[in-house]
Structure formats: structure tokens, C-alpha cells
């Protein structure tokens, strides 16, 4: 690993400790090499993600900061620009709009902003993006339920979701698989079950 | 979407000084790429500070998108100004320090025909040809054997040498006559 990437990460980690107390973001080393980090962002207010804690996997390429870090969600999330399956993120600054002066901190702040402002026309998850555009109520309901289920977001849980998820699991389907099917079919239990049995 | 609000090195670092541990840096003179005190500093027209080696590597990484890493203004080797602090002993332009990328070379094709493409004694016979555009001085250059890496004439005194001397003289006269003819036609 080139020395500039190591010294820059060291530098960034030091800066983050002194600056990020009030910003609901966190970055730390995952191992002693500076190639593998873990991040955390808290879901911003006035979004279905509010208060949820989303863990991020951050991989630093050898050519950092001349090339962007590779970032994906470890915590499952229902968002048009993030894969509900793999956690892969569609964000321009992590691709061709990366600039060497951007830092992990600015990346995490941008991800927080992405949670507030989805861009369904440039989707990473086509199913989520379609629901976002065609059935916003179902989208908000699902995104919030996922945030509570996977990211420990606070607040009363949607009873309809809990009930349908319980029914699906009682039929012998795994919880994650059931939740995925129900979410995909906008909480229509019958179609979700039909999909699961096929 | 746009990268979020603050950019390192600009307003942010002045309001919130970052100590780099050396205690002599308030963050204003840090390179926007390595975040360390800028070495071989250059400043872009948009006012952003970099180490030249850092900026150079950024420009190499994005040859098709020469943009300032901070504000995305146009930037390039000819669009930055080197900074020289007081008492710096070495005022060499930092842009010259880094070996510039090797330029593409266009070596001359090896010239096997001695001289101007007009005379050729190669196989005993000789050919003579030159375009109207060919200025006759080039011709003299050949005849008087200006040394430019072409094959040396045969050793002094040999029979071949004498022959060629004579031929040379003949051609000199031919050339002079032709020149006059061209001039006074
Ligand atoms: Zn630098
Ligand atoms: Zn700039």
C-alpha cells in the first residue's frame, strides 16, 4: 500500500475524532492495515431512516486518494440508490465524480444526504426505485420498517408489517427472505407468498 | 449529487484549525490532497494549494478531466503558480523538479544514401535527380562533404578517391551551371 494513502487515512481518522462529534457519523479501523475500515451513519431526521444506525464497509484502494474508496452498506437498507441485496451504492462521488480533496468524512456526509434525497432516476435497486416512484406510501412504510428491523431505528413499529411478516415466517419461510418478498410486493401477502413458493 | 458541504482546506480549516502534531501548522497551508503541509507548493488559479507531486499524480490519474480536486475548476501544469516562501534557498520551479513525463520521440529515419537525395555513386553508375524546389545550397553541402554522420569519403590518395574527386568537381560545375541556368532562365 502506498505511503500517501496510509498517511492520509491516519490523518483523516485524527481529524474525524476532533470534528465529527455532532454529525452522527463514525469511522474506525477494522484491522491494523489502513485498507479496511468501518463507518457508521445515523439516519437523518424527516426520513424513514431517522435514528437508524447504518454500518458501512469501507475499502481503501492503494491509489487512494487519487481513486475513490469502495463503500457499501453492511446494514440492510431500503433505498432506491442502494442495493437491498448487496448494499452496493450508486453515488457519483464514489465513481467518476470523485476528487482527491474529498475525504471519508465528506463521503459519509454525502451518504447521509443521499438518505434524505434519493435519486430514483439513477437507481441502484430497480425494484425499490419503481416502488418509490409508483407507490410512495408503500416505499416509506417499507424503508421505515427496514430501518427499525435492521438498523434499530426508534419508534412504534407498523403493526401491519409485523403481522404479515409473522404469517410468512409461520409458513416456514426465513425472516429475511419473507421480508424481502413482502417489501418487493408492497406488503401484498398473497403475491409475496406466491413468489416465495415458486 | 454534489459532495456535501464543506471542503477541506478552505473556510473549514481556518475556522477549525487542525493540528498536525508539529504544532506549527494551523491548517491553512496544507495540501488539499495529502492533507499534510504542502511541499513543493503550487497554487491553482482558483486559489487551492497542493504539493506539486500530489497534484501531478491527480492530473495523471484523470488525464481526460483536468479539474481542481477541490472546486472542479479547470487546472493543469500551466494553470498553477509555484509558491516560494521567504528564504527558501532553492527557487527551482517545483513543476520542473518532478521529471516531466517523457515526451514522445520522433527519431530521424536512418539515412543510408549519402547526402542530398541527388547523388548516388553506389553501384558505379550514378543517378541524379532533384526537384525544382530543392535549393542548390543543400547540394553544395553534399559536395563539400559537411560532416553530419554520413559515410566518410574513401581514404585520401587511393584511386577511388581520385576518381571521386574528379567526379565531384564535375558535379560541382554541373551544379553551378544549373544554378545559373535556374536563376537566369
Ligand atoms: Zn500533498
Ligand atoms: Zn480549486
Amino acid at each position: 500500500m502506498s505511503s500517501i494513502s496510509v498517511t492520509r487515512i491516519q490523518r483523516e481518522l485524527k481529524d474525524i475524532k476532533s470534528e465529527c462529534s455532532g454529525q452522527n457519523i463514525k469511522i474506525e479501523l477494522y484491522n491494523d492495515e489502513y485498507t479496511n475500515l468501518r463507518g457508521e451513519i445515523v439516519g437523518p431526521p424527516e426520513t424513514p431512516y431517522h435514528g437508524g444506525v447504518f454500518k458501512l464497509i469501507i475499502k481503501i484502494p492503494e491509489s487512494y486518494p487519487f481513486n475513490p474508496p469502495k463503500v457499501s452498506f453492511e446494514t440492510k437498507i431500503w433505498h432506491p440508490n442502494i442495493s437491498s441485496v448487496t448494499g452496493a451504492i450508486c453515488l457519483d462521488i464514489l465513481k467518476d465524480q470523485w476528487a482527491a480533496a474529498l475525504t471519508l468524512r465528506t463521503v459519509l456526509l454525502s451518504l447521509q444526504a443521499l438518505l434524505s434525497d434519493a435519486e430514483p432516476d439513477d437507481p441502484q435497486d430497480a425494484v425499490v426505485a419503481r416502488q418509490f416512484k409508483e407507490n410512495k406510501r408503500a416505499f416509506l412504510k417499507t424503508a421505515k420498517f427496514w430501518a427499525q428491523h435492521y438498523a434499530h431505528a426508534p419508534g412504534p413499529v407498523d403493526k401491519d408489517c409485523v403481522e404479515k411478516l409473522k404469517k410468512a415466517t409461520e409458513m416456514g419461510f426465513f425472516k429475511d427472505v419473507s421480508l424481502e418478498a413482502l417489501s418487493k410486493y408492497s406488503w401484498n401477502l398473497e403475491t409475496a407468498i406466491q413468489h416465495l413458493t415458486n | 449529487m454534489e459532495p456535501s458541504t464543506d471542503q477541506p482546506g478552505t473556510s473549514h480549516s481556518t475556522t477549525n484549525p487542525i493540528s498536525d502534531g508539529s504544532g506549527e501548522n494551523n491548517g491553512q497551508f496544507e495540501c488539499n490532497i495529502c492533507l499534510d503541509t504542502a511541499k513543493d507548493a503550487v497554487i491553482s488559479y482558483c486559489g487551492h494549494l497542493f504539493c506539486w507531486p500530489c497534484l501531478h499524480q491527480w492530473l495523471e490519474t484523470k488525464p481526460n478531466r483536468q479539474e481542481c480536486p477541490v472546486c472542479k475548476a479547470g487546472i493543469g501544469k500551466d494553470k498553477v503558480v509555484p509558491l516560494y516562501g521567504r528564504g527558501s534557498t532553492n527557487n527551482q520551479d517545483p513543476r520542473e523538479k518532478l521529471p516531466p513525463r517523457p515526451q514522445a520521440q520522433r527519431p530521424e529515419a536512418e539515412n543510408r544514401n549519402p547526402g542530398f537525395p541527388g547523388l548516388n555513386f553506389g553501384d558505379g553508375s550514378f543517378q541524379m535527380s532533384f526537384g525544382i524546389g530543392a535549393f542548390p545550397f543543400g547540394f553544395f553541402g553534399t559536395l563539400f562533404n559537411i560532416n553530419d554522420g554520413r559515410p566518410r569519403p574513401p581514404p585520401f590518395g587511393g584511386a577511388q578517391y581520385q576518381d571521386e574527386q574528379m567526379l565531384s568537381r564535375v558535379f560541382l560545375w554541373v551544379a553551378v551551371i544549373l544554378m545559373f541556368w535556374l536563376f537566369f532562365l
Side-chain angles (χ1 to χ4, degrees), chain B residues 78-116:
Chain B
D78 52 344
K79 288 181 193 142
V80 292
V81 180
L83 287 183
Y84 306 118
R86 179 174 175 269
S88 59
T89 47
N90 186 0
N91 274 359
Q92 191 192 0
D93 188 332
R95 291 171 295 176
E96 305 306 325
K97 272 193 194 172
L98 205 75
R101 220 162 63 139
Q103 302 248 312
Q105 303 248 334
R106 201 167 173 280
E108 287 295 317
E110 204 178 316
N111 200 347
R112 295 199 175 274
N113 264 3
F116 200 76

Side-chain angles (χ1 to χ4, degrees), chain A residues 16-195:
Chain A
I16 273 172
K17 275 199 188 113
S18 57
E19 290 169 26
C20 293
S21 43
Q23 279 165 329
N24 293 324
I25 64 171
K26 202 154 115 186
I27 301 174
E28 51 196 27
L29 286 178
Y30 188 66
N31 55 15
D32 284 339
E33 292 157 55
Y34 288 84
T35 51
N36 233 319
L37 293 90
R38 286 294 182 275
E40 239 177 60
I41 56 174
V42 177
E46 286 161 52
T47 70
Y49 314 104
H50 185 197
V53 178
F54 298 89
K55 288 190 183 356
L56 302 159
I57 299 169
I58 304 168
K59 297 220 161 98
I60 306 296
E62 201 171 318
S63 54
Y64 184 80
F66 301 101
N67 285 305
K70 292 179 169 55
V71 185
S72 60
F73 274 78
E74 190 178 23
T75 307
K76 284 173 89 59
I77 184 167
W78 192 254
H79 185 287
N81 304 105
I82 302 157
S83 166
S84 61
V85 181
T86 64
I89 302 165
C90 178
L91 181 64
D92 55 5
I93 61 156
L94 291 175
K95 292 168 186 168
D96 58 323
Q97 291 302 306
W98 171 255
L102 294 173
T103 61
L104 295 177
R105 196 172 75 90
T106 52
V107 167
L108 263 57
L109 292 174
S110 297
L111 285 173
Q112 240 174 0
L114 185 67
L115 296 191
S116 298
D117 274 305
E119 291 182 19
D121 291 324
D122 187 20
Q124 176 74 38
D125 194 309
V127 174
V128 183
R130 204 189 317 123
Q131 191 183 65
F132 183 95
K133 289 211 264 192
E134 293 171 4
N135 190 348
K136 193 70 175 272
R137 257 186 66 157
F139 166 79
L140 291 171
K141 177 173 160 167
T142 312
K144 188 170 183 187
F145 190 76
W146 278 50
Q148 291 172 327
H149 189 79
Y150 292 116
H152 312 293
V157 185
D158 190 304
K159 285 205 179 88
D160 179 56
C161 296
V162 177
E163 226 163 82
K164 283 172 176 164
L165 186 58
K166 200 175 159 207
K167 272 183 188 154
T169 46
E170 276 168 5
M171 290 178 74
F173 300 110
F174 287 116
K175 208 169 188 180
D176 281 0
V177 184
S178 308
L179 179 52
E180 216 175 287
L182 283 163
S183 305
K184 192 173 170 184
Y185 294 102
S186 300
W187 300 93
N188 185 323
L189 186 61
E190 277 168 39
T191 20
I193 298 293
Q194 213 168 24
H195 171 78

Side-chain angles (χ1 to χ4, degrees), chain B:
Chain B
M1 59 170 280
E2 283 300 302
S4 73
T5 50
D6 83 74
Q7 290 156 334
T10 55
S11 58
H12 180 78
S13 53
T14 53
T15 54
N16 188 0
I18 301 159
S19 165
D20 68 347
S22 65
E24 57 184 71
N25 199 312
N26 65 2
Q28 287 188 51
F29 302 107
E30 287 168 359
C31 164
N32 280 287
I33 293 177
C34 67
L35 313 183
D36 220 328
T37 308
K39 300 169 213 66
D40 295 330
V42 295
I43 193 156
S44 59
Y45 288 175
C46 47
H48 292 120
L49 182 69
F50 307 96
C51 312
W52 170 246
C54 289
L55 183 62
H56 179 81
Q57 197 173 339
W58 170 248
L59 296 174
E60 294 273 291
T61 311
K62 302 259 168 162
N64 302 320
R65 229 192 59 187
Q66 307 267 290
E67 289 175 355
C68 171
V70 181
C71 70
K72 304 204 166 173
I75 200 170
K77 187 177 176 179
D78 52 344
K79 288 181 193 142
V80 292
V81 180
L83 287 183
Y84 306 118
R86 179 174 175 269
S88 59
T89 47
N90 186 0
N91 274 359
Q92 191 192 0
D93 188 332
R95 291 171 295 176
E96 305 306 325
K97 272 193 194 172
L98 205 75
R101 220 162 63 139
Q103 302 248 312
Q105 303 248 334
R106 201 167 173 280
E108 287 295 317
E110 204 178 316
N111 200 347
R112 295 199 175 274
N113 264 3
F116 200 76
L119 299 175
N120 189 347
F121 302 102
D123 50 10
S125 70
F126 61 85
Q127 304 158 358
M128 191 176 153
S129 66
F130 55 89
I132 293 296
F135 207 61
F137 296 121
F139 207 65
F140 286 124
T142 309
L143 289 169
F144 294 124
N145 189 30
I146 291 165
N147 185 8
D148 55 359
R150 294 165 186 151
R152 311 285 307 176
F156 197 73
Q160 196 196 352
Y161 176 82
Q162 305 241 318
D163 283 348
E164 291 204 0
Q165 284 295 299
M166 201 195 67
L167 266 173
S168 287
R169 253 170 247 132
V170 169
F171 278 114
L172 178 59
W173 282 111
V174 170
V176 170
I177 290 160
L178 268 171
M179 204 170 75
F180 275 93
W181 178 69
L182 279 171
F183 272 121
F184 297 106
L185 197 67

